């Protein structure tokens, strides 16, 4: 189913139709946007690179006069704008942010021909995404406004749309609880901010890119495909004039269905189509989606989904509304219009209702059986993968067990060696401690003996010291006596010399 998944629509061809002619735009393998125009009952190449620049995706809108407003973006974060019917030019980017990579684009015009753009940008290095709203007012581009942002899950792509009362809405994928669901937000133009978020039904399923249709009574119809356990579902609901959601319906469809379901309004019939391989299937409702009947599939070789923008449907005689057609070739050599779906029902009105119900039940039964077969094949594949994984795990477990056993034996031998070494070391330590104890005891005895000897010597020294102190005291006394005797002698000497000299003189 992976090849049938459409995560966005801004890189598929686009066809326009108005009083100013028919134009076709398609990206080539080099990222150049080719422009074809229809003249003399054949398609002619206008230019092979209308933007004169490699782009990643594009979108277009038509005003009521049939003028084409063309938008494109490249991988450098640049947005381009062009009026292709106004003459040739090489447009420069009117907005650029090199820090973010634009990866999806949707646009619409309001009643005053102001352009409104919803684009998704991401930074893969930081795994971050932003959903931006950008608009023009009186031919002047305003600053982008962040609608939402987040991390890791980068496929939050969506559509910007306008109803007949000039109200703006944003319909986009939003990642929550492990899967992408669909949400609708009104856009308050004055505040440039989204209003309350409405979650479409089937939130437990993985939802793909939606389609929408605004009918003449301003009812908003939405269709989308979803997936649960590898089973595909076709879903529909609509929002009435009072803003109430009604008539949610879900049908099981084949597993390899293209993951977008275009909606059409053909006369008074609402048509819901889907594509499986080279065959188109559809449901139609005569009561605005309250109940549905199945139409027969129509096979076409090489048909591909193509976007469609129109003011007046010059391609057909029947008035119809819708944003998609199916065509083959670039430019289209054959186009399948929605009213052709209903031609296959011509003459079926004569069939009894029981046969029509039986046809519907048999188609549902075939779809259910196909999905069961697909689910069974998927489960078998998953079971086989799990068996292979279990076998690998078992083999890995055996080899791991053997390796662990070898390591365990090696560890056991290593532990035995460690234990032997430990015992030997312990024995040596014990012997060493014993020896050191004996040496310390012997040393202790020697120290005690030395202590006793030192004590005895100390006593003797004390006695000798006492004797010395007595002797010193005696000597001090003798010194004092000698000093006294010396002083007396000095005194006698002083008295002797005067007397002696006086006698000599006398």
């Amino acid at each position: 189913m992976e090849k049938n998944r459409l995560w966005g629509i801004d890189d598929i061809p686009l066809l326009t139709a108005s009083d100013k002619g028919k134009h076709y735009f398609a990206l080539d393998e080099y990222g150049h946007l080719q422009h074809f125009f229809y003249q003399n009952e054949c398609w002619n190449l206008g230019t092979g690179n209308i933007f004169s620049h490699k782009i990643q995706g594009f979108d277009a809108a038509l005003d009521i006069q049939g003028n084409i407003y063309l938008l494109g973006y490249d991988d450098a974060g640049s947005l381009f704008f062009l009026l292709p019917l106004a003459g040739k030019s090489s447009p420069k980017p009117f907005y650029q942010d090199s820090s973010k990579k634009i990866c999806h684009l949707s646009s619409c015009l309001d009643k005053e021909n102001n352009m409104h753009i919803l684009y998704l940008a991401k930074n893969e290095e930081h795994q971050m995404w932003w959903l931006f709203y950008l608009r023009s007012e009186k031919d002047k581009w305003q600053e982008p406004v962040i609608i939402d942002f987040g991390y890791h899950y980068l496929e939050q792509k969506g559509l910007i749309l306008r109803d007949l009362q000039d109200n703006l809405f944003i319909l986009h994928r939003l990642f929550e609880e492990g899967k992408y669901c669909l949400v609708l937000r009104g856009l308050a133009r004055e505040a440039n901010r989204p209003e309350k978020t409405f979650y479409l039904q089937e939130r437990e399923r993985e939802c793909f890119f939606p389609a929408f249709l605004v009918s003449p009574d301003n009812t908003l119809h939405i269709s989308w495909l979803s997936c649960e356990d590898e089973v595909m579902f076709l879903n529909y609901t609509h929002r009435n004039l009072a803003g109430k959601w009604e008539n949610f319906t879900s049908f099981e469809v084949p597993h390899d269905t293209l993951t977008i379901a275009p909606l059409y309004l053909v006369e008074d019939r609402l048509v819901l189509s889907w594509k499986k391989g080279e065959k188109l299937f559809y449901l139609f409702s005569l009561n605005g989606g309250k109940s549905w009947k199945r139409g027969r599939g129509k096979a076409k070789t090489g048909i591909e989904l193509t976007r469609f923008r129109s003011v007046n449907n010059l391609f057909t005689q029947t008035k119809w509304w819708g944003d998609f057609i199916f065509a083959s070739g670039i430019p289209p050599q054959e186009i399948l219009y929605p009213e052709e779906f209903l031609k296959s029902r011509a003459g079926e009105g004569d069939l009894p209702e029981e046969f029509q119900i039986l046809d519907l039940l048999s188609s549902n039964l075939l779809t259910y059986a196909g999905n069961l077969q697909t689910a069974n094949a998927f489960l078998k594949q998953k079971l086989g993968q799990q068996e292979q994984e279990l076998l690998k795990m078992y083999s890995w477990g055996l080899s791991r067990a053997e390796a662990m056993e070898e390591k365990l034996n090696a560890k056991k031998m290593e532990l035995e060696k460690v234990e032997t070494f430990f015992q030997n070391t312990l024995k040596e330590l014990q012997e060493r401690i014993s020896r050191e104890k004996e040496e310390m005891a012997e040393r202790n005895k020697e120290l005690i003996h030395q202590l006793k000897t030192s004590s005895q010597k100390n006593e003797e020294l004390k006695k000798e010291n006492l004797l010395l102190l007595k002797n010193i005291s005696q000597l001090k006394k003798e010194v004092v006596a000698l000093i006294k005797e010396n002083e007396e002698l000095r005194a006698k000497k002083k008295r002797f010399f005067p007397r002696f000299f006086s006698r000599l003189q006398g």
Side-chain angles (χ1 to χ4, degrees):
M1 186 186 70
E2 187 69 32
K3 66 179 181 179
N4 294 313
R5 290 187 177 182
L6 288 177
W7 304 113
I9 58 171
D10 61 2
D11 57 350
I12 65 175
L14 187 148
L15 180 67
T16 68
S18 69
D19 292 336
K20 294 189 176 183
K22 310 167 192 178
H23 299 267
Y24 181 82
F25 303 90
L27 281 172
D28 66 12
E29 58 182 332
Y30 305 106
H32 300 152
L33 186 62
Q34 303 174 90
H35 173 213
F36 299 88
F37 62 93
Y38 195 76
Q39 191 176 37
N40 299 325
E41 298 185 355
C42 68
W43 287 102
N44 301 275
L45 178 63
T47 174
N49 188 3
I50 191 170
F51 278 111
S52 301
H53 191 84
K54 180 181 178 180
I55 63 171
Q56 303 296 316
F58 70 100
D59 196 16
L62 265 68
D63 63 17
I64 196 169
Q65 287 81 29
N67 297 308
I68 302 173
Y69 297 71
L70 194 61
L71 290 161
Y73 64 88
D74 63 13
D75 57 358
S78 302
L79 284 171
F80 300 87
F81 175 71
L82 184 65
L83 295 169
L85 303 187
K88 295 182 179 180
S89 64
S90 299
K92 295 181 180 180
F94 67 89
Y95 175 77
Q96 189 171 26
D97 185 351
S98 59
S99 66
K100 300 177 181 65
K101 180 180 178 181
I102 299 175
C103 53
H104 193 263
L105 173 73
S106 176
S107 65
C108 70
L109 292 171
D110 61 21
K111 289 183 178 179
E112 296 178 355
N113 289 339
N114 293 316
M115 177 68 74
H116 300 268
I117 303 171
L118 178 74
Y119 70 91
L120 179 68
K122 61 185 178 182
N123 185 312
E124 294 177 335
E125 180 181 358
H126 297 95
Q127 285 290 293
M128 189 174 182
W129 60 269
W130 297 264
L131 202 60
F132 285 99
Y133 166 62
L134 178 62
R135 67 186 178 93
S136 67
E137 188 172 342
K138 297 180 180 179
D139 297 327
K140 184 178 180 180
W141 292 101
Q142 308 298 309
E143 287 296 321
V145 176
I146 297 177
I147 299 297
D148 204 347
F149 68 94
Y151 293 88
H152 303 303
Y153 304 100
L154 309 179
E155 296 295 334
Q156 325 279 341
K157 299 178 181 180
L159 301 166
I160 188 167
L161 53 113
R162 178 182 69 90
D163 66 10
L164 300 183
Q165 294 179 356
D166 219 26
N167 299 310
L168 293 175
F169 299 92
I170 294 172
L171 177 62
H172 71 98
R173 303 173 78 229
L174 182 65
F175 191 88
E176 285 190 355
E177 299 179 358
K179 57 181 68 66
Y180 285 94
C181 58
L182 287 179
V183 296
L184 182 78
R185 297 173 175 179
L187 190 60
R189 225 179 283 189
E190 294 78 11
N192 285 343
R193 288 289 184 270
E195 298 172 345
K196 184 178 179 181
T197 300
F198 175 78
Y199 289 82
L200 274 71
Q201 292 92 333
E202 302 302 324
R203 291 181 64 179
E204 71 276 6
R205 297 175 183 170
E206 176 80 9
C207 295
F208 301 102
F209 204 82
F212 74 94
L213 173 72
V214 179
S215 55
D217 62 355
N218 207 36
T219 298
L220 175 61
H221 304 263
I222 298 175
S223 63
W224 72 99
L225 274 92
S226 59
C227 180
E228 183 179 17
D229 297 330
E230 297 300 316
V231 177
M232 298 289 293
F233 296 90
L234 176 66
N235 309 288
Y236 165 85
T237 190
H238 72 241
R239 183 178 183 270
N240 64 20
L241 300 180
K244 182 180 178 182
W245 293 90
E246 299 176 329
N247 300 342
F248 172 73
T249 309
S250 185
F251 300 92
E252 196 168 329
V253 294
H255 179 266
D256 53 352
T257 297
L258 185 70
T259 54
I260 192 167
L263 273 168
Y264 306 99
L265 186 64
V266 184
E267 296 179 338
D268 59 343
R269 296 185 181 189
L270 189 63
V271 179
L272 178 57
S273 64
W274 68 96
K275 176 178 178 284
K276 174 184 178 295
E278 298 291 325
K279 199 169 185 180
L280 293 174
F281 300 86
Y282 70 95
L283 300 168
F284 68 94
S285 174
L286 298 175
N287 50 19
K290 294 181 180 179
S291 62
W292 297 85
K293 293 184 178 182
R294 184 185 293 268
R296 296 184 183 275
K298 191 173 185 67
K300 288 280 186 179
T301 303
I303 56 171
E304 297 294 342
L305 187 68
T306 302
R307 289 177 286 172
F308 183 70
R309 305 288 184 266
S310 159
V311 178
N312 299 311
N313 278 304
L314 303 179
F315 283 119
T316 63
Q317 299 298 321
T318 304
K319 192 174 182 180
W320 60 274
W321 288 265
D323 280 344
F324 295 95
I325 58 172
F326 289 92
S328 60
I330 296 177
Q333 303 303 312
E334 186 177 9
I335 300 174
L336 184 62
Y337 301 110
E339 69 270 19
E340 295 185 29
F341 297 160
L342 304 177
K343 290 180 181 179
S344 60
R345 293 200 55 86
E348 288 186 7
D350 299 333
L351 292 175
E353 185 176 355
E354 292 81 0
F355 283 100
Q356 296 183 29
I357 296 174
L358 181 62
D359 180 51
L360 178 62
L361 290 175
S362 62
S363 298
N364 289 338
L365 182 60
L366 288 173
T367 299
Y368 183 67
N371 284 336
L372 281 179
Q373 186 177 3
T374 301
N376 183 43
F378 173 75
L379 289 174
K380 284 183 177 179
Q381 181 183 4
K382 194 171 182 180
L383 181 61
Q385 291 175 352
Q386 289 180 349
E387 287 177 352
Q388 292 292 330
E389 290 176 0
L390 288 174
L391 182 59
K392 289 179 181 179
M393 290 177 65
Y394 177 70
S395 301
W396 179 83
L398 285 178
S399 60
R400 187 70 175 169
E402 292 176 357
M404 290 298 290
E405 188 175 359
E406 291 178 0
K407 287 184 178 181
L408 184 61
N409 291 332
K411 286 290 183 184
K412 186 177 180 181
M413 294 175 65
E414 187 177 348
L415 286 174
E416 289 176 354
K417 291 179 181 180
V418 171
E419 186 178 2
T420 302
F421 175 76
F422 176 74
Q423 293 293 339
N424 294 335
T425 304
L426 182 61
K427 185 178 179 181
E428 290 177 0
L429 285 173
Q430 288 175 344
E431 292 176 353
R432 184 176 178 181
I433 291 170
S434 179
R435 289 194 305 268
E436 289 181 353
K437 282 183 177 180
E438 292 176 358
E439 292 176 358
M440 289 180 69
E442 188 67 27
R443 182 65 176 166
N444 193 34
K445 287 180 182 180
E446 292 178 2
L447 290 173
I448 292 172
H449 177 69
Q450 291 177 2
L451 181 61
K452 287 181 180 180
T453 305
S454 298
S455 297
Q456 292 174 358
K457 288 182 178 181
N458 189 38
E459 290 297 330
E460 293 175 356
L461 290 171
K462 283 181 179 180
K463 291 177 180 180
E464 292 178 359
N465 189 40
L466 289 173
L467 291 173
L468 289 171
L469 289 174
K470 288 179 180 180
N471 292 334
I472 291 170
S473 179
Q474 185 64 31
L475 289 171
K476 285 182 177 180
K477 290 178 180 180
E478 292 177 356
V479 169
V480 169
L482 289 172
I483 292 171
K484 186 176 181 182
E485 186 178 352
N486 187 39
E487 289 178 350
E488 289 176 353
L489 288 173
R490 285 182 179 179
K492 288 178 179 182
K493 187 177 179 181
K494 287 180 179 181
R495 291 192 298 269
F496 171 75
F497 282 108
R499 290 177 182 177
F500 175 74
F501 285 118
S502 67
R503 287 177 182 176
L504 288 177
Q505 291 174 0

